[in-house]
């Protein structure tokens, strides 16, 4: 079983999450690498995928969306998980009391659920380091409406991410044990 954690990241924090997940999968006994989306030349070489993108203005990065749509036939037949790295701050609920991870789900995810039937999609809290931001993002962050949502800091919850990675490792172990179960019960094989 050869898994790949594919990521799209503008400032590196999603790459950090992808590398961490790959390391946890390896420690659990699954062969796994983290690869930037542009580095995955032959997706057919992999048996399982974890695909993650940073979120900007409620959307995945374009290259991540293109990877999913461009490889949908392959991905629909592989065990596959998605994650998004986005919300910032220490609050876990918005002003209306709704779970921030649910309300910040990127727009593409509903379509991906139909298209490739991921086993799961998780939203993880992200990172904002204002000294790294490009001009356009710095300008957006200055808008009064954006300032509160775009809090500075590293809000990644490594325990949460580790628990998720280990649940993936367990599912992959089960897939290996049962021939032909590569997409699992949710995958509709
Ligand atoms: C201009 C700007 C817009 C953002 N928009 C969103 C958004 O709509 N939803 C969200 O959850 N996070 C948003 N974020 C937070 C980023 O997703 C977060 O900083 C993420 O960890 C960045 O990942 P990267 O370092 O891999 O690029 C935004 C950040 C910036 C700077």
């Amino acid at each position: 079983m050869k898994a790949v954690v594919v990521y799209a990241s503008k400032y590196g924090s999603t790459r950090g999450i992808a590398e961490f997940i790959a390391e946890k999968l390896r420690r659990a006994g699954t062969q796994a690498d983290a690869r930037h989306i542009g580095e995955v030349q032959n997706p057919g070489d992999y048996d399982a995928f974890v695909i993650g993108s940073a979120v900007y203005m409620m959307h995945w990065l374009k290259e991540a969306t293109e990877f999913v749509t461009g490889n949908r036939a392959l991905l629909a037949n592989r065990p596959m998980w998605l994650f998004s790295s986005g919300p910032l701050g220490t609050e876990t609920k918005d002003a209306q009391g709704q779970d921030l991870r649910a309300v910040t789900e990127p727009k593409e995810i509903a379509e991906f659920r139909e298209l490739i039937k991921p086993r799961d999609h998780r939203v993880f809290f992200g990172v904002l380091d204002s000294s790294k931001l490009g001009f356009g993002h710095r300008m957006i962050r200055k808008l009064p409406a954006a300032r509160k949502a775009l809090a500075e800091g590293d809000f990644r919850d490594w325990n949460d991410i580790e628990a998720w990675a280990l649940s993936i490792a367990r599912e992959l172990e089960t897939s290996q044990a049962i021939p032909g179960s590569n997409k699992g019960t949710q995958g509709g094989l």
Side-chain angles (χ1 to χ4, degrees):
M1 174 70 69
K2 195 169 158 195
V4 64
V5 186
V6 186
Y7 63 86
S9 176
K10 214 159 176 63
Y11 301 111
S13 65
T14 311
R15 182 185 67 225
I17 294 174
E19 287 170 349
F20 181 84
I21 292 171
E23 194 215 315
K24 295 297 160 196
L25 291 178
R26 283 195 298 273
R27 282 205 194 180
T30 301
Q31 195 186 336
D33 287 317
R35 292 264 178 269
H36 181 265
I37 248 150
E39 291 176 330
V40 183
Q41 305 299 340
N42 297 307
D45 290 349
Y46 297 99
D47 305 305
F49 292 81
V50 181
I51 306 169
S53 175
V55 183
Y56 290 94
M57 316 309 282
M58 292 299 288
H59 289 282
W60 265 25
L61 290 170
K62 193 166 160 248
E63 60 269 33
T65 298
E66 286 174 356
F67 182 86
V68 169
T69 52
N71 293 294
R72 60 184 177 275
L74 172 78
L75 295 172
N77 282 301
R78 294 284 194 279
M80 191 247 322
W81 290 260
L82 304 177
F83 72 90
S84 303
S85 117
L88 301 163
T90 50
E91 301 291 333
T92 55
K93 303 221 162 161
D94 70 2
Q96 286 74 44
Q98 301 177 94
D99 187 329
L100 254 188
R101 285 170 299 192
V103 295
T104 58
E105 182 173 284
K107 304 280 186 213
E108 293 76 16
I109 302 302
E111 184 198 337
F112 292 166
R113 283 203 182 93
E114 290 294 312
L115 200 64
I116 49 172
K117 301 193 167 32
R119 290 190 179 194
D120 194 13
H121 166 254
R122 281 292 172 93
V123 172
F124 295 122
F125 278 73
V127 177
L128 192 139
D129 175 350
S130 57
S131 70
K132 284 190 181 173
L133 295 182
F135 179 76
H137 283 172
R138 244 183 297 142
M139 291 301 111
I140 292 170
R141 192 162 176 261
K142 284 194 174 145
L143 299 171
R147 207 165 294 165
K148 188 163 180 278
L150 300 179
E152 174 119 22
D154 184 343
F155 305 101
R156 288 173 294 184
D157 180 341
W158 298 111
N159 290 332
D160 190 24
I161 300 166
E162 178 172 12
W164 192 61
L166 295 180
S167 74
I168 292 173
R170 277 194 297 276
E171 278 199 50
L172 287 176
E173 232 173 83
T174 315
S175 300
Q176 261 180 312
I178 307 166
S181 71
N182 64 334
K183 193 65 191 177
T185 47
Q186 285 185 319
L189 270 188

